[in-house]
Amino acid sequence: MKKYTAIHDIHDFSQIINEALTIKNAPFNNKHLGTNKTLVMLFFNASLRTRLSTEKAAKNLGMDVICMQINNSWNLEFEDGTVMNLTTSEHIKEAAKVIAQYADIIAVRAFPNLTDKNQDNAEIIINSFSKYANVPVVNLESSTAHPLQALADAITINEFSKASKPKVVLSWAPHPKALPQSVANSFVTVMQQLPVDFTITHPKGYELNTDITKDVVINYNQVEALKNADFVYVKNWSAYTDYGKILSQDTNWMITQDKLAKAKFMHCLPVRRNVIVEDAVLDSENSLVIEQANNRTYAAQVILKKILENLD
Ligand code: CP
């Protein structure tokens, strides 16, 4: 593997999930791969799980890790040909090449601004690192995608599925802040690769990018959509068409134990209790949120392993 900026960098999902589960059983078996190799992680936005699980994965592989919270300390310029006489102090053209002197792999988190759809869809930050740093780039959540989260989610469904073709429902839920569509986008993309019966449910107006959802079934009736579900993945996202807007705060979309019935509950975390989901669900044995967070390590580790195996 040369990079992991999008789900489509994985060519054989079944193989990668099986390899991640093998790593989970013996996480220190490939320490030689990362010896004398460095992962540099750059965070333009805060993180708990991604930051810690990716560092743990890299260290399990024997890598050194350098982490920088970049927005707090360094203002980068991404526009070509700009006169840099305002607040930005270094252009990405130099910065990416310089960081690549210290890194064998660069991993980047950079959220969308949710005000300019075209700019967010252009994925300027992660694509600029891919363009100017001559080392592999890993996406730690970008404007439109969170592929490491989605891989961890696929591993978790594989581990807990009892049916050969489980019913998986992605449900929108309310949130007081405008959130990105990235987790939902990547989850949808992964579900299209797996043997699952997949439905999305959300209020009208919350349709995701149709280039991503393609012909996935969308049911605007949440209760109907959740019937006989094996896995219910819950996530808030802001509107895509009316870009970045909060169109509904309807508390009836919160996931309750009654709605969940016997299904397993999934969420990428962090989650707002009694807004997205009621306590009874999160505190029940049907909640997989901690397992998902645990699998973030093995998702990151299988990806880093594949990239390390391909380094010159
Ligand atoms: N799920 C997830 O990406 O969590 P963090 O924002 O804490 O990294």
Side-chain angles (χ1 to χ4, degrees), residues 33-88:
L33 279 176
T35 305
N36 299 330
K37 299 281 189 291
T38 302
L39 171 69
V40 171
M41 295 200 288
L42 305 171
F43 284 88
F44 289 80
N45 308 92
S47 167
L48 188 154
R49 280 143 289 272
T50 306
R51 160 86 172 74
L52 297 179
S53 62
T54 309
E55 178 160 347
K56 181 170 164 59
K59 287 181 172 169
N60 286 352
L61 288 163
M63 297 186 83
D64 291 320
V65 179
I66 303 171
C67 186
M68 185 169 175
Q69 192 69 37
I70 201 157
N71 254 10
N72 294 344
S73 52
W74 213 247
N75 283 326
L76 287 176
E77 178 62 56
F78 289 89
E79 208 164 302
D80 239 356
T82 190
V83 178
M84 288 170 55
N85 60 357
L86 294 173
T87 55
T88 53

Side-chain angles (χ1 to χ4, degrees), residues 261-279:
K262 292 181 179 162
K264 297 289 186 194
F265 172 81
M266 299 181 73
H267 190 284
C268 62
L269 301 182
V271 69
R272 295 207 179 203
R273 282 176 173 256
N274 304 308
V275 176
I276 293 270
V277 55
E278 68 176 4
D279 280 342

Side-chain angles (χ1 to χ4, degrees), residues 73-240:
S73 52
W74 213 247
N75 283 326
L76 287 176
E77 178 62 56
F78 289 89
E79 208 164 302
D80 239 356
T82 190
V83 178
M84 288 170 55
N85 60 357
L86 294 173
T87 55
T88 53
S89 48
E90 180 160 6
H91 202 279
I92 185 66
K93 286 184 183 180
E94 286 77 49
K97 285 177 187 157
V98 168
I99 293 164
Q101 305 305 305
Y102 317 134
D104 297 280
I105 301 173
I106 297 175
V108 180
R109 163 165 284 198
F111 288 172
N113 58 35
L114 292 178
T115 53
D116 182 334
K117 185 192 285 191
N118 291 334
Q119 191 179 13
D120 288 344
N121 279 343
E123 293 281 17
I124 290 164
I125 295 182
I126 198 133
N127 284 344
S128 297
F129 278 99
S130 297
K131 185 172 175 184
Y132 296 118
N134 58 344
V135 298
V137 172
V138 172
N139 184 339
L140 299 177
E141 187 172 349
S142 62
S143 297
T144 66
H146 197 353
L148 281 176
Q149 179 67 54
L151 177 55
D153 299 334
I155 294 166
T156 310
I157 289 175
N158 182 283
E159 276 184 302
F160 284 87
S161 185
K162 294 190 179 111
S164 57
K165 192 174 180 184
K167 179 174 177 183
V168 179
V169 180
L170 170 64
S171 177
W172 179 93
H175 195 284
K177 286 174 65 182
L179 298 186
Q181 297 97 26
S182 51
V183 170
N185 286 343
S186 291
F187 188 72
V188 170
T189 307
V190 165
M191 287 306 104
Q192 288 164 331
Q193 313 274 329
L194 297 182
V196 297
D197 169 9
F198 184 50
T199 299
I200 305 174
T201 182
H202 56 69
K204 283 190 178 159
Y206 277 99
E207 290 76 10
L208 294 162
N209 183 347
T210 51
D211 291 342
I212 294 170
T213 54
K214 295 176 184 149
D215 52 3
V216 173
V217 173
I218 296 171
N219 188 337
Y220 298 114
N221 182 328
Q222 189 194 41
V223 171
E224 207 177 273
L226 294 181
K227 261 183 210 155
N228 300 321
D230 296 296
F231 296 90
V232 177
Y233 197 103
V234 183
K235 185 72 185 82
N236 172 271
W237 60 86
S238 55
Y240 182 72

